[in-house]
Amino acid sequence: MIFVSINDEFISHPLIKENLISRREYQENIFINCLNKNCLVVIPTGLGKTIIALMLTVQRLSEIKDSKVILLAPTKPLVEQHFNSFSKLTNLPEESLISLTGSISPEKRKNLWVDIKVAFMTPQVLQNDLISGLYSVKDVSLIIFDECHRAVGDYAYCFLAKKYVDISKNSQILGLTASPGSTEGKINEIKQNLFIDHIEIRTEKDLDVKPYIHKVDNEWIKIKLPPEFLEVKKILEEKLKFCYKFLKEADLLGSYDIYKITRKDLLKLNNVINRRISTARDNDEKFQMFNAKKVAANAIRLSHMTELIETQGVSALKDYFEKNEEKIKKNTANKSLKELFINKEFKKAKKLTEDLYSKGLVHPKIEKLKILLTNQIKENLDSRILVFCHFRDSVNNIVKIFEDDEIIKIHKFVGQAKRGSDKGLTQKEQINLLKEFKEGIYNTLVGTSVAEEGLDIEECDLVVFYDVVPSAIRSIQRRGRTGRKKEGKVFVLMAEATRDEGYYWAEKTKEKNMIASLEKIKNSDSTSKSEQSNLLNFITNEKEGEIESKGFNDPDLSSIKKIEGADNFEIICDNRETASPVVRTLSLIGLNLKLEQLAVADYVISEKVGIERKSAKDFNESIIDGRLFKELSELGEHFSRPILILEGDPFKNSNINENALYGAITAIIVNLGISIYRTEDSIETATFLYQLAKKEQLESKSSLKLRFDKAPIDISRLLEYIISGIPGVNTLRAKNLLKELETLQNIFLADIPDLTKVENVGKKIAQEIYKISRYKYKNDS
């Protein structure tokens, strides 16, 4: 049964719990307009995009029997949120709605897939499963890409959309976002990458949306920096101006005005300087450019330090000083950093910062933040507050300041990545924290960008920007965390006469451009299905017969075609390469790929052919840091036909002497006996790997082995070799297990609690050892 309309009123669908849904006219209009189209829906936050996704899901499941639907979201907490919404609002059997996360083993995901009707996943999990051939999406009738503004560059959404439309028998795509991008070009890029042929746009001004918009008060609070801060700022800016002046005199910058040079300008300098080094006429010019490289590196550091004292405060700047001092002590710092830290004026700025910290000064924003939070909670004890910071150090400092406050019950909300001693939060911890926030165990979360996207915390009635972001997408996402079910407030703390103000104007301009672009698209006739289809056909036909790439990190996947018979060949890929455009291209071509954690090589074609892949940049960097010859020596020891694929031109934009590069290349060929094959880009690399696999595997009928190192003769080494063959067990863990339990028999008979007592062996690895030791062999051949 599908939705039908009588007298313009929707009849209830049996798969939706109508009593729990307050469906709105604009949602039904969008739903009707998206039927049987690849549709991009741009809708303000808090207006029930989940309901649109839900309506289209039950429509497709009812219309196309035995089909499945996938809902993708960038983070596990957001995946969990969608899963909970669907579970609550539909009558679909509980076992048919499953959240497939990376914490579920691949084998279990494969088994669960059989009975799934709606799968909730992150793009990384689906990408790995499709590349590994764990299951197929041919029976998937709809993929929903939430926060689809991410579908640009080499983000996994682009690959997944291409893979899906190539495979599915009844494909349909729904993209959902509140902020698609600040330019028409960016919006069109999303449309092309997701194969969109219709766009639905709703703004707060639309008549069918207006009644459901909750008032959100936005207030910008300007904060003056104290004289002590300005003194530190002045010293850093004088040093920065000196760097800019040097770079301008070397014709590397157009100005030395610190208010005109952006971080983007500085980041571009490295390639410019490398080009000048490679084309230098004499040693004097080369020496000047090497010096300019050091100055540019310090300019980036000084620019960052200035931003910290302006917008974040003394604690953040002091932390930055200490991190770099630690590098110097450990002798991991480069020469430019060491020179900066022994500079007399720089030392003065550092001493002033330490004095301010010892006096308990942080940033005047902190006092204002305390007033805002305290007043809000006193006015409403059930209030929920989100504070956004650009830097994790600032998050930690704010939490530390307020952790003993009796009224403000605060916790950090950050990503998983480890930053120094800060371990971050696992996705499971993030989900639990959001639950505790809703329950009132915490009334204030201080978060980085991980808290910006999609999280539906209807109780949140105050959002505070601790700093200003120059991104329209991020600013809209931040503001969208409040005013979802009731009126809300947004306060933006802005340090006066600092880059906070510059970021404010940049963000306003971008947001204005986004609104104008959306209005232009909305009012144009170019979004009809036929015209969009013709445009995409034109792009495809123009490049018919050739595969092109936008570059190493940003390949054009749209023109890659599946090769007939490619699935007869297999390549083992290092599982750390899954984000690589090479692996994605191999998957789109149709090869069988196995993901393994390879100790040696990036790709394995056969027992004798192993391949290391280096971009031109990585090739040069690995010569400097000494990695290259170690990695390639190991490659040569384990494979009789070792190959290095060099992607790009190592001589272009290189700061290594041309003779030194030739010396390294000839040493690799002559001394190590490794063949080098140069490719232009990732797509050419993938094509070469396919041809290698085809040639090698047509001649050799034996199955591809997963281990290529020779078994050691020494018995103790042999025991380590056997144990380290278990997934997740490296040589160090193998040694720890054998030290503790002494024999293979003891290890394989041990219970999980005994295994977890061994150093570096967690519950997950212990379970893997326990499972494998009791697994019955199946000979399927």
Side-chain angles (χ1 to χ4, degrees):
M1 181 178 178
I2 61 174
F3 288 101
V4 293
S5 179
I6 296 177
N7 297 327
D8 297 325
E9 289 185 7
F10 275 88
I11 291 177
S12 299
H13 193 290
L15 292 179
I16 293 182
K17 295 175 182 175
E18 296 290 336
N19 60 313
L20 296 178
I21 295 177
S22 174
R23 206 162 57 227
R24 301 161 181 175
E25 184 186 353
Y26 67 86
Q27 292 168 338
E28 295 175 348
N29 291 339
I30 291 171
F31 163 73
I32 291 168
N33 293 335
C34 288
L35 287 174
N36 302 313
K37 301 183 187 83
N38 288 344
C39 194
L40 169 61
V41 175
V42 181
I43 186 170
T45 55
L47 290 182
K49 62 181 179 182
T50 303
I51 303 301
I52 298 165
L54 188 147
M55 292 169 73
L56 208 54
T57 295
V58 298
Q59 169 74 13
R60 293 296 279 179
L61 292 176
S62 303
E63 188 178 30
I64 302 170
K65 298 298 179 187
D66 301 320
S67 70
K68 304 176 190 291
V69 171
I70 296 173
L71 196 157
L72 297 171
T75 64
K76 192 174 176 181
L78 196 46
V79 167
E80 201 70 19
Q81 181 176 291
H82 285 303
F83 170 71
N84 291 334
S85 295
F86 271 60
S87 299
K88 178 184 173 184
L89 300 174
T90 70
N91 289 312
L92 287 163
E94 191 177 326
E95 64 275 10
S96 70
L97 297 170
I98 297 178
S99 175
L100 290 179
T101 64
S103 59
I104 299 171
S105 70
E107 193 62 33
K108 191 172 180 183
R109 291 202 300 269
K110 182 179 180 180
N111 294 333
L112 287 170
W113 180 258
V114 177
D115 297 317
I116 274 180
K117 295 307 287 181
V118 186
F120 304 85
M121 315 169 76
T122 61
Q124 289 75 24
V125 170
L126 182 59
Q127 175 179 265
N128 289 352
D129 289 354
L130 294 186
I131 286 171
S132 304
L134 211 60
Y135 46 77
S136 173
V137 290
K138 68 179 181 181
D139 294 322
V140 173
S141 59
L142 173 68
I143 291 189
I144 300 161
F145 293 87
D146 191 23
E147 308 298 346
C148 70
H149 51 267
R150 287 175 172 249
V152 292
D154 65 347
Y155 190 67
Y157 276 0
C158 307
F159 162 76
L160 292 172
K162 169 66 176 166
K163 187 82 173 173
Y164 173 58
V165 297
D166 283 354
I167 294 173
S168 177
K169 296 181 291 187
N170 297 286
S171 68
Q172 183 177 355
I173 286 171
L174 175 65
L176 300 169
T177 183
S179 47
S182 56
T183 65
E184 208 174 335
K186 187 66 73 177
I187 297 166
N188 284 330
E189 184 182 354
I190 294 166
K191 287 165 62 181
Q192 183 175 331
N193 289 339
L194 295 184
F195 301 88
I196 298 298
D197 47 35
H198 179 75
I199 183 165
E200 281 286 316
I201 299 169
R202 293 294 186 279
T203 69
E204 295 178 356
K205 294 178 182 178
D206 285 307
L207 294 176
D208 58 351
V209 168
K210 262 187 177 181
Y212 306 102
I213 298 293
H214 296 283
K215 184 184 176 187
V216 175
D217 292 324
N218 291 275
E219 186 178 339
W220 295 80
I221 301 172
K222 287 193 175 185
I223 293 169
K224 284 190 175 183
L225 294 180
E228 299 93 335
F229 278 52
L230 295 174
E231 191 176 353
V232 176
K233 181 173 178 275
K234 185 181 177 183
I235 295 169
L236 295 175
E237 285 182 344
E238 285 297 322
K239 288 295 301 172
L240 186 58
K241 194 172 183 179
F242 176 82
C243 292
Y244 288 172
K245 199 166 186 178
F246 178 93
L247 295 168
K248 184 180 184 298
E249 288 170 358
D251 291 326
L252 292 166
L253 287 177
S255 168
Y256 56 84
D257 186 337
I258 58 172
Y259 299 108
K260 289 182 179 177
I261 303 300
T262 66
R263 184 75 53 86
K264 200 173 180 181
D265 295 327
L266 294 175
L267 293 173
K268 284 179 182 175
L269 281 180
N270 195 49
N271 283 341
V272 175
I273 294 170
N274 284 343
R275 269 199 302 272
R276 293 272 293 271
I277 290 170
S278 63
T279 58
R281 294 184 298 272
D282 52 46
N283 286 333
D284 286 344
E285 187 181 349
K286 196 170 283 188
F287 176 79
Q288 185 193 25
M289 286 301 105
F290 277 116
N291 201 24
K293 209 170 174 65
K294 290 193 296 182
V295 173
N298 280 335
I300 292 170
R301 293 184 183 111
L302 288 162
S303 174
H304 180 62
M305 291 179 213
T306 307
E307 181 175 4
L308 290 179
I309 192 64
E310 284 181 345
T311 67
Q312 307 301 312
V314 171
S315 299
L317 182 57
K318 178 178 170 289
D319 288 346
Y320 185 76
F321 286 148
E322 288 175 351
K323 284 175 188 174
N324 283 293
E325 280 186 319
E326 192 65 26
K327 287 181 185 177
I328 293 168
K329 283 178 187 174
K330 290 181 177 177
N331 207 27
T332 57
N334 56 32
K335 196 173 180 181
S336 60
L337 182 64
K338 290 175 182 175
E339 287 178 1
L340 179 64
F341 269 67
I342 60 171
N343 178 270
K344 184 180 176 182
E345 286 302 307
F346 183 80
K347 280 183 173 181
K348 185 181 175 183
K350 186 170 164 290
K351 178 71 167 56
L352 283 170
T353 303
E354 288 165 354
D355 290 344
L356 290 173
Y357 182 80
S358 65
K359 291 175 185 175
L361 288 172
V362 182
H363 195 288
K365 285 183 180 182
I366 289 290
E367 287 305 313
K368 189 63 183 177
L369 181 63
K370 185 167 186 176
I371 293 167
L372 294 174
L373 301 186
T374 305
N375 289 346
Q376 179 70 17
I377 294 166
K378 282 181 176 178
E379 284 175 20
N380 179 9
L381 292 175
D382 294 325
S383 192
R384 299 291 183 277
I385 303 166
L386 280 172
V387 180
F388 287 104
C389 297
H390 187 57
F391 299 104
R392 192 186 282 189
D393 284 344
S394 296
V395 171
N396 292 331
N397 286 326
I398 290 168
V399 170
K400 191 175 179 181
I401 288 165
F402 291 107
E403 63 186 353
D404 296 324
D405 196 284
E406 292 180 5
I407 296 175
I408 304 162
K409 293 176 284 184
I410 203 164
H411 203 289
K412 71 175 182 180
F413 191 86
V414 297
Q416 300 180 85
K418 185 180 178 182
R419 305 276 168 82
S421 59
D422 183 10
K423 292 182 179 178
L425 296 174
T426 65
Q427 292 188 329
K428 188 176 180 180
E429 287 172 326
Q430 290 171 17
I431 291 166
N432 289 335
L433 186 54
L434 288 172
K435 187 182 174 186
E436 290 173 341
F437 183 57
K438 289 183 177 186
E439 291 171 353
I441 294 171
Y442 301 104
N443 56 27
T444 305
L445 293 184
V446 187
T448 51
S449 58
V450 73
E452 289 172 359
E453 276 185 330
L455 297 177
D456 186 10
I457 305 164
E458 60 187 62
E459 297 86 357
C460 181
D461 47 7
L462 174 63
V463 166
V464 181
F465 290 29
Y466 186 74
D467 43 33
V468 187
V469 284
S471 161
I473 290 174
R474 290 185 61 194
S475 187
I476 289 167
Q477 293 289 344
R478 282 184 174 190
R479 293 199 307 267
R481 296 317 101 213
T482 190
R484 300 176 78 84
K485 298 290 187 292
K486 57 184 177 181
E487 291 185 358
K489 287 184 282 189
V490 174
F491 290 114
V492 182
L493 304 181
M494 182 165 61
E496 199 172 339
T498 69
R499 66 190 69 199
D500 264 351
E501 286 199 29
Y503 289 165
Y504 163 75
W505 292 111
E507 188 277 323
K508 281 293 164 196
T509 302
K510 288 175 182 176
E511 194 168 335
K512 189 178 177 181
N513 290 341
M514 181 189 293
I515 293 166
S517 297
L518 289 172
E519 286 297 328
K520 186 176 178 183
I521 292 170
K522 189 177 180 183
N523 295 331
S524 71
D525 295 324
S526 63
T527 54
S528 69
K529 182 175 180 180
S530 60
E531 288 177 333
Q532 281 294 325
S533 179
N534 289 339
L535 175 62
L536 293 176
N537 287 338
F538 170 76
I539 292 166
T540 305
N541 292 338
E542 188 184 37
K543 296 181 180 178
E544 193 174 356
E546 69 180 48
I547 294 175
E548 294 187 358
S549 169
K550 298 177 189 174
F552 180 72
N553 290 316
D554 194 9
D556 178 9
L557 302 178
S558 63
S559 56
I560 299 168
K561 305 293 182 189
K562 186 173 181 180
I563 298 173
E564 193 68 35
D567 55 352
N568 293 322
F569 308 107
E570 182 178 275
I571 295 177
I572 298 175
C573 309
D574 185 72
N575 60 16
R576 289 157 290 192
E577 287 276 304
T578 52
S580 154
V582 173
V583 175
R584 293 173 181 177
T585 304
L586 288 169
S587 178
L588 291 172
I589 286 172
L591 270 87
N592 278 323
L593 302 179
K594 281 191 177 178
L595 300 179
E596 300 287 336
Q597 188 157 334
L598 300 175
V600 179
D602 292 324
Y603 304 93
V604 174
I605 301 294
S606 69
E607 190 169 351
K608 65 181 181 181
V609 181
I611 294 133
E612 185 76 22
R613 166 184 169 256
K614 295 279 185 197
S615 69
K617 183 184 177 186
D618 189 32
F619 179 77
N620 288 345
E621 287 174 353
S622 61
I623 291 173
I624 294 167
D625 63 25
R627 282 182 293 121
L628 182 66
F629 288 97
K630 181 178 180 295
E631 290 172 356
L632 293 182
S633 294
E634 289 177 349
L635 187 73
E637 287 171 8
H638 289 85
F639 299 95
S640 58
R641 289 286 184 272
I643 299 170
L644 169 65
I645 294 180
L646 186 49
E647 201 171 286
D649 186 352
F651 294 92
K652 190 177 179 182
N653 300 331
S654 173
N655 59 350
I656 299 177
N657 181 279
E658 189 177 274
N659 290 330
L661 275 174
Y662 275 122
I665 290 168
T666 53
I668 291 165
I669 297 168
V670 177
N671 299 344
L672 299 181
I674 293 173
S675 303
I676 299 177
Y677 184 83
R678 196 174 85 77
T679 62
E680 285 298 320
D681 52 38
S682 57
I683 293 180
E684 191 180 333
T685 299
T687 305
F688 176 62
L689 287 171
Y690 161 66
Q691 294 295 343
L692 269 179
K694 185 178 175 182
K695 170 74 175 170
E696 181 68 12
Q697 291 169 24
L698 279 174
E699 293 179 0
S700 173
K701 302 296 181 184
S702 61
S703 60
L704 196 49
K705 294 182 181 178
L706 299 181
R707 299 183 76 193
F708 297 91
D709 44 336
K710 294 175 183 176
I713 297 171
D714 180 79
I715 298 296
S716 292
R717 300 289 82 77
L718 180 61
L719 295 180
E720 291 172 12
Y721 176 83
I722 293 167
I723 294 298
S724 61
I726 298 169
V729 179
N730 55 23
T731 305
L732 177 64
R733 288 193 179 104
K735 285 180 178 178
N736 290 342
L737 284 160
L738 287 161
K739 272 183 196 172
E740 187 71 28
L741 299 171
E742 297 183 336
T743 68
L744 293 181
Q745 185 181 33
N746 289 344
I747 291 169
F748 289 134
L749 291 177
D751 290 325
I752 291 170
D754 294 327
L755 291 167
T756 55
K757 290 176 184 175
V758 177
E759 187 181 356
N760 285 327
V761 176
K763 187 177 178 182
K764 194 173 180 181
I765 290 172
Q767 288 171 336
E768 191 69 22
I769 297 169
Y770 186 88
K771 182 181 79 175
I772 287 173
S773 66
R774 288 152 179 82
Y775 187 82
K776 290 183 180 178
Y777 174 68
K778 295 174 185 174
N779 186 2
D780 297 326
S781 59

